[in-house]
Amino acid sequence: MARKPTPPGTPPPTSVEHVLELVRKTIPPLHPAGIPFVAAPLAVAALGRNRKWVRRAGLVSAAATAGFFRHPHRVPPNRVGVVVAPADGEVALVDTAVPPAELEMGTEPRPRVSIFLSVLDVHVQRSPVGGTVTKVVHRPGQFLSADLADASEVNERNSMLLETRNGADVAVVQIAGLLARRIVCDAKAGDTLPIGDTYGLIRFGSRVDTYLPPGSTLLVERGQKTIGAETVIAQLP
């Protein structure tokens, strides 16, 4: 892979600086919500440093948790009218469905793309379009496996409605799963989100549904893998 050109007059990096830069670019940063979950096993490892099994267990647990809460940099496409995947994962459903009632989007079915996130996937959620947040509603519910069709209706969820600059309404719904017991949504009504911007996170194993305006062209198929903020899932009408 070619390196980016170095501006004239820039002093050459030392070998240590070069290695640190490679590490910084290779290892994704940690989402802030994961800091307490990584700090706790690290503290256990520090306190039990004289016991090999305690130290190892703490370090392994910290590394695994840091992997779950990883927050890699993504570059969204700059094409007009595209909708990107709000999450990493596998497309579980490509169909039509009525949006969550709490969003008050009517009772007519809309095109929907559901993405299932396993515990190994990146678990941050990203805005599928650029626009203004008009509504955010959290609804308590059950914790069925997120890959079941009924999960959209009965599981705990957080629904967010976005309005694009051209007036299109796009809803994105974070759905808790069998192991997921906490939905984090940092966005609130009135916020303006760029396309691909991180707005939330679900712990641990979950699903994200995107509801699109009628007439949208769906560009993914069931079973396809998605990369949050980069995979184009639809084109707005």
Side-chain angles (χ1 to χ4, degrees):
M1 181 182 294
R3 296 184 188 176
K4 293 181 180 179
T6 303
T10 302
T14 66
S15 57
V16 174
E17 290 174 339
H18 181 58
V19 170
L20 290 176
E21 180 66 12
L22 289 176
V23 170
R24 185 185 68 80
K25 291 182 178 179
T26 304
I27 300 177
L30 185 70
H31 189 278
I35 293 176
F37 294 89
V38 175
L42 285 178
V44 171
L47 293 173
R49 59 185 178 277
N50 295 328
R51 295 175 179 267
K52 183 183 296 185
W53 68 271
V54 174
R55 184 176 68 252
R56 287 182 177 177
L59 292 175
V60 169
S61 179
T65 306
F68 177 85
F69 284 102
R70 64 194 185 277
H71 185 195
H73 175 67
R74 297 286 166 77
V75 181
N78 58 6
R79 305 201 306 273
V80 177
V82 297
V83 182
V84 298
D88 289 30
E90 180 179 320
V91 177
L93 292 172
V94 180
D95 59 4
T96 58
V98 178
E102 58 267 24
L103 291 180
E104 300 178 334
M105 298 175 68
T107 58
E108 291 297 320
R110 289 178 173 238
R112 176 180 66 173
V113 176
S114 297
I115 298 173
F116 175 72
L117 294 74
S118 76
V119 294
L120 300 179
D121 288 313
V122 174
H123 267 63
V124 298
Q125 279 77 62
R126 305 171 192 266
S127 179
V129 294
T132 301
V133 179
T134 59
K135 188 173 293 187
V136 177
V137 184
H138 179 267
R139 199 202 77 163
Q142 301 179 40
F143 297 96
L144 301 180
S145 178
D147 59 349
L148 298 176
D150 290 345
S152 293
E153 295 293 332
V154 301
N155 278 24
E156 179 167 340
R157 65 184 182 233
N158 189 84
S159 303
M160 181 173 72
L161 182 60
L162 289 155
E163 182 178 349
T164 70
R165 182 180 300 177
N166 295 328
D169 289 332
V170 176
V172 60
V173 185
Q174 300 166 285
I175 302 172
L178 187 64
L179 300 177
R181 300 288 164 154
R182 179 80 169 99
I183 297 176
V184 177
C185 180
D186 297 322
K188 60 184 183 299
D191 288 349
T192 299
L193 300 180
I195 185 172
D197 193 42
T198 299
Y199 76 91
L201 176 144
I202 315 175
R203 312 192 298 252
F204 291 89
S206 49
R207 174 172 152 183
V208 181
D209 289 354
T210 304
Y211 294 85
L212 304 159
S216 298
T217 303
L218 301 180
L219 301 175
V220 289
E221 298 180 354
R222 187 173 180 178
Q224 181 176 337
K225 291 290 186 180
T226 60
I227 299 175
E230 294 188 351
T231 301
V232 176
I233 64 172
Q235 178 78 41
L236 296 175

